Amino acid sequence: MADGVEPGTVRPGGRTARVREAVLRAAEDALTEQGLTGLDLADIARRAQVGKTTVYRRWGTVTGLVADLLQDMAEQSAPRTETGSLLGDLTANARLVQRTLTDPRQGALFKALIAAATGDAKTAAALHRFYDIRVREWAPCVRQAVDRGEVPEGTDPHDVIRAVSAPLYYHLLISGGRLDETAADRAAEAAAIAARAGVFVRGGGKAA
């Protein structure tokens, strides 16, 4: 393994893809049931019906396995939707986040990963990489809105996308409020209005 590369963060080749899939799904099950503190590589191997040596050799540590799981989740996420308008694109993004967070399995998994990240620096770094990938996937819809003249030049695309999902995660983790399509649409509309007003222009200044 190259210096500075976390075990498990390099995707295995084709012939081992099935093993990776089985191990990652087993890790999802264990995380949703027990959280990070209950995660054990030997138990993951048993759940996935693969040899313990294989799991220890490929992922090395629990955090290495979690990092690979988050990488896989980023790769499997639905691609960006293009509707031709900023509000339409942000609404598509918000509804995707809402569906994910309200899915019985995915919602529980995200809660477990976020909880784990609060107490483990490597898990936190892996979670940050996951969200960076997803934000970068959707950022072009804001750049396209700039090109169409919907929002001011200098609007930070990443900040706009983060503003869409932030209230949805607040509902999930803090307020316990309804996390439905209405909440998703409201989050998208608020972000779009703020973007048009220049709130997200780099440097913090509003458009004239």
Side-chain angles (χ1 to χ4, degrees):
M1 187 69 64
D3 291 344
V5 177
E6 182 73 15
T9 58
V10 177
R11 194 194 321 209
R15 75 180 185 85
T16 57
R18 285 191 298 273
V19 170
R20 180 179 184 251
E21 174 72 13
V23 169
L24 294 183
R25 299 295 78 80
E28 285 185 357
D29 291 340
L31 269 170
T32 54
E33 293 169 15
Q34 304 163 185
L36 185 69
T37 57
L39 209 61
D40 176 76
L41 293 186
D43 178 56
I44 298 301
R46 179 188 60 78
R47 290 171 181 258
Q49 299 182 333
V50 302
K52 288 190 293 185
T53 302
T54 298
V55 175
Y56 280 99
R57 183 176 64 247
R58 181 161 299 141
W59 286 277
T61 64
V62 165
T63 52
L65 178 56
V66 169
D68 195 28
L69 174 60
L70 284 162
Q71 178 69 28
D72 180 69
M73 289 167 62
E75 293 166 358
Q76 299 303 320
S77 294
R80 175 169 55 91
T81 300
E82 293 189 17
T83 67
S85 74
L86 179 64
L87 179 57
D89 290 351
L90 296 185
T91 299
N93 175 259
R95 289 190 178 186
L96 173 61
V97 173
Q98 180 264 333
R99 288 194 302 272
T100 300
L101 297 183
T102 55
D103 179 84
R105 181 181 178 88
Q106 291 294 309
L109 180 59
F110 273 106
K111 283 183 177 180
L113 287 166
I114 292 168
T118 63
D120 182 85
K122 290 185 177 180
T123 302
L127 190 63
H128 295 162
R129 285 194 298 270
F130 167 84
Y131 282 110
D132 183 59
I133 290 170
R134 297 309 297 151
V135 169
R136 285 190 282 110
E137 166 73 18
W138 283 83
C141 75
V142 182
R143 298 190 191 101
Q144 291 167 356
V146 172
D147 292 340
R148 290 192 297 263
E150 288 189 72
V151 296
E153 289 286 346
T155 296
D156 189 317
H158 293 184
D159 281 351
V160 176
I161 301 303
R162 293 187 189 105
V164 173
S165 58
L168 304 180
Y169 278 94
Y170 181 84
H171 282 312
L172 176 74
L173 299 169
I174 306 298
S175 73
R178 287 184 63 84
L179 191 50
D180 53 16
E181 283 194 352
T182 298
D185 293 352
R186 187 180 298 120
E189 185 174 5
I193 290 171
R196 294 189 198 106
V199 170
F200 301 110
V201 171
R202 293 182 184 90
K206 292 186 179 181

